[in-house]
Amino acid sequence: MGDRLHHYLGGGRPVYTLLLLLALALLTLLCEAQGRMDKARSQEENRAGLLRRVKRGWVWNQFFVLEEYTGLEPLYIGKLHSDMDLGDGSIKYILSGDGAGTTFTIDDSTGDIHAIKRLDREVKAQYLLKAQAWNRQTDRPLEPESQFIVKIQDINDNEPKFQDGPYQATIPEMSTIGTEVIRLTATDADDPTYGNSARVVYSILQGQPYFSVEPKTGEVRVSLAGMDREVREIYSIIIQAKDMGGQLGGLAGTTVVNITLSDVNDNPPMFDQKLYQMSVLESAPVGSVVGRIRAKDRDIGINAEMRYSIIDGDGRDTFDISTDPTNLFGIITIKKPLNFESKASYTLKIEGANTHLDHRFLDKGPFSHVTIVHVSVEDIDEPPEFSSAAYYIEVSEEAEIGTVFTTVSARDPDASNNSIRYSIEMTTDLGKYFYIDITSGALMTVVALDREELSWHNITVLAMEMSNPSMIGSVSVAVKILDVNDNPPSLTHYFEAFVCESAKAGQLIQTVTAIDPDDPLAGQQFYYSLAPEAANNPNFTLRDNQDNTAWILTRRGGWSQQDQSVYYLPIFISDGELPVQTSTSTLTIRVCSCDVEGNVMSCNAEAYHLPASLSRGALIAILACIFVMLVMILLMLSLRSHRKKPYLHDEEDNVHENIVRYDDEGGGEEDTEAFDIAAMWNPHEAHLVGKQRQDMLPEIESLSRYVPIACVGWPGSVCVGGDSNVQGYVLSKLLEADLDPCAPPYDSLQTYAYEGEGSVAESLSSLQSGCSNTDHEYDYLNDWGPRFKKLAEMYGVLETNNPPMW
């Protein structure tokens, strides 16, 4: 026990801990003394032969031990002792329950209990253990199993902690002193029921003089009035929580609180300028933006939103102002059309005011500001303007050519007032009915008008400035042609009718109507009658129905195609307008055979039987087409059966001079020198040719090397034989080519006009070759060398006796 006291005193424990240990030691001594007294009393009673219950001899049923023991030896917890233990070692103590064997051990002989692991009350505050005494010799329990508790006593080993830090808080700017910002709570894991280990006190380490904290509750409050967001918006303060009631030696924890000042409308708006200058073109349409202005406000959000209005000025009816979608800018727009010539400048008095006011700060107002905006209208060159937006004119169709029916007028709206020239847009008057005077704008007709042809004319008149032809104004002129009764009426479409041979007198055979291109205002009214020359017609009569129709009636019966098959009835028609127009139309009436129901059966009139069959002209046309097709078929068959005959029947008579063209152009000037055509006709000049050929040289052997050839006289030459000069020249050239060591083996075709005399092959020309019918012999090909071996095998006689190959 002295060691434990020294440990706690040396470890710097407080005085109250020392007092607790002394009290525990005294209590232990008292319990041991009481046990010894009870044991002695029991022995005396046994000796006296009294029968009494045996009392269990445990020292305690509850043990206390401080947490966080850091000594090197196991921590002594307490001692278990039974009254039956005489100290001879015959009793064995057994410990079981929470932590037995792992956290706590017991000396089975003495009953001493020790802690072998570091105890932490914040992990486990108490342990429930069981103890029992056994007889070592009989291995049987001496007493029933008993329970006891080991309680872990707290020491101040945990500092207070802020679980949710760092913290964020927001308060309005200009808040009053004492305004609560946030409430903080720190937790201490130590036992709050034992001492002051868990009693926390709050204090502020950083953030004065703006904020303070309540020591007991942890409430952070405003401690300085008039904090302005526009000066400083964010504050960071440090709050400390310390246990042991804040006394010296207590443990402490800290956290950070970030405090943001929110905005309030405590600043009035203000324009940057007292006078704004703006300009706009006079041609700008209504609704165009002239410019924008802004009354700046140090506040933000809704506290900076503005409302703009024109409160005065001579342009308040011409311009308008609205707020943009951000509610910060004022947009000035055109309300009415502008005209530089009428007014060149405007003045606007504009007010900008906050829309959300805070009544707590009205004394800092007024929360509005006024500025002046001067708008200048810029002049532009405008096109001419007509006195009317559109013209509507009515012209009678009987108006004479050259009649002036209206005059249009335009002027230059600019201050210069330039001269105007008029014209008609060609695409709107394709028929060229009208003409306009170039200077006066008088419109007149140049073509006779006809309402029945075209009743409306929509033309466009152009006005152009003389000084600037690009400035052109236009106006639409609608010309309506008024009707005049200038067309006579005529029958609609009934120009033919028929009457049955069985028709009776007074029978209706046709109803006629008339048409008139004119269009009188009161409507059409036609009058029908027979022409004067047919007024007393004995066959037919006409009845006017007074509804623009008339009936044609028979005046007799007994009709016969044999007597007369066709009748012509002239009908006189007049209209009801002035001047009255009349016409006479002839109705053709044919006599037809009809059945009992009055249906036509046959008429000699072609118009009534042709619809059921074909006309005579159509039949003739069809027959003519069939005839033409038959002729074409016969012609094609005859051409197909015709055999093509050769143009020449006798090949001997077909002698032509064929021109064979070669595309070999030769070697140019050197080639000309190598083959001088003059030398061909003058063999004596052959010895003058001394140059070596530089173009392609032949590789063929001369056919004449095996025949006698005349000598060619040049120094060092060899006489081969023969009498022909030309042959000698040719042979010399061939020999020269063969003996030239510098000539490459080019394949070259050399054509000479002279074939030579005495050649074994005779003439190689195909001309007159058809005159000989004898078989040609090619045995001489065997003598021409290996180059002609293949031809000799194909056409010549083989020298061997081998059988033929085919």
Side-chain angles (χ1 to χ4, degrees), residues 12-255:
R13 293 292 181 173
V15 177
Y16 74 91
T17 304
L18 179 60
L19 296 177
L20 178 61
L21 293 177
L22 293 176
L24 290 175
L26 181 61
L27 182 61
T28 302
L29 294 176
L30 292 177
C31 290
E32 290 179 354
Q34 182 67 31
R36 286 194 294 271
M37 292 176 63
D38 291 340
K39 183 178 179 182
R41 187 182 300 110
S42 176
Q43 292 177 355
E44 292 177 357
E45 290 178 354
N46 290 333
R47 285 193 296 268
L50 298 178
L51 297 177
R52 300 183 62 180
R53 182 177 64 86
V54 177
K55 183 178 179 182
R56 187 176 301 167
W58 301 132
V59 177
W60 286 328
N61 63 351
Q62 184 170 310
F63 295 95
F64 296 90
V65 60
L66 291 175
E67 64 174 335
E68 303 295 345
Y69 172 71
T70 58
L72 298 178
E73 299 293 331
L75 177 63
Y76 178 76
I77 302 300
K79 184 180 181 64
L80 296 180
H81 183 74
S82 174
D83 294 340
M84 298 181 180
D85 188 0
L86 300 178
D88 55 1
S90 62
I91 296 178
K92 177 182 179 181
Y93 296 98
I94 299 175
L95 183 67
S96 63
D98 292 343
T102 58
T103 303
F104 303 99
T105 61
I106 187 171
D107 189 337
D108 58 354
S109 297
T110 63
D112 293 334
I113 301 173
H114 293 82
I116 59 177
K117 293 180 67 176
R118 184 176 180 180
L119 302 177
D120 189 352
R121 189 200 66 84
E122 285 73 33
V123 175
K124 191 173 181 64
Q126 65 181 13
Y127 295 86
L128 180 62
L129 298 173
K130 298 179 180 178
Q132 194 172 30
W134 284 68
N135 192 320
R136 293 180 183 272
Q137 297 178 358
T138 62
D139 196 22
R140 296 182 65 181
L142 298 177
E143 294 180 357
E145 185 179 58
S146 300
Q147 292 183 350
F148 65 94
I149 297 174
V150 177
K151 287 188 176 182
I152 310 301
Q153 290 184 328
D154 182 52
I155 63 174
N156 189 20
D157 58 344
N158 293 279
E159 72 276 5
K161 294 182 180 180
F162 294 92
Q163 301 296 332
D164 300 327
Y167 298 87
Q168 304 291 332
T170 301
I171 60 171
E173 62 174 330
M174 299 296 177
S175 296
T176 58
I177 295 177
T179 302
E180 181 178 347
V181 178
I182 191 173
R183 181 186 293 266
L184 304 179
T185 300
T187 59
D188 195 322
D190 294 325
D191 189 0
T193 62
Y194 181 76
N196 294 327
S197 298
R199 190 163 69 88
V200 178
V201 174
Y202 301 93
S203 62
I204 183 168
L205 301 182
Q206 176 182 311
Q208 299 95 342
Y210 307 103
F211 301 95
S212 61
V213 63
E214 290 291 332
K216 294 182 179 181
T217 62
E219 294 180 2
V220 179
R221 299 179 180 275
V222 175
S223 60
L224 181 65
M227 287 189 293
D228 193 352
R229 184 200 65 84
E230 287 73 31
V231 176
R232 182 178 178 183
E233 185 176 2
I234 298 176
Y235 296 84
S236 293
I237 65 174
I238 298 177
I239 302 297
Q240 175 184 267
K242 189 174 183 179
D243 58 10
M244 296 297 295
Q247 297 178 6
L248 184 64
L251 303 179
T254 60
T255 188

Side-chain angles (χ1 to χ4, degrees), residues 322-386:
S322 60
T323 307
D324 75 327
T326 63
N327 294 320
L328 298 177
F329 295 90
I331 309 299
I332 302 174
T333 56
I334 300 175
K335 189 176 181 181
K336 291 183 178 180
L338 304 177
N339 191 335
F340 174 81
E341 289 72 25
S342 299
K343 189 172 180 58
S345 64
Y346 297 87
T347 299
L348 304 174
K349 188 176 183 180
I350 298 178
E351 179 187 54
N354 284 137
T355 56
H356 298 82
L357 299 180
D358 194 332
H359 297 283
R360 296 175 300 172
F361 307 102
L362 292 180
D363 56 338
K364 297 187 177 183
F367 289 85
S368 63
H369 199 231
V370 177
T371 188
I372 303 297
V373 178
H374 182 77
V375 181
S376 300
V377 180
E378 296 182 1
D379 185 28
I380 63 169
D381 193 1
E382 300 174 274
E385 296 179 354
F386 285 89

Side-chain angles (χ1 to χ4, degrees), residues 45 176 194 287 320 497 528 662 669 671 738:
E45 290 178 354
T176 58
Y194 181 76
D320 196 5
Y528 303 89
Y662 299 92
E669 295 179 359
D671 189 53
D738 293 335

Side-chain angles (χ1 to χ4, degrees), residues 499-527:
V499 59
C500 296
E501 292 180 321
S502 59
K504 301 292 194 289
Q507 184 172 341
L508 174 65
I509 62 172
Q510 185 66 55
T511 300
V512 295
T513 58
I515 58 173
D516 191 341
D518 296 323
D519 187 17
L521 296 177
Q524 296 284 5
Q525 180 63 48
F526 301 117
Y527 301 95

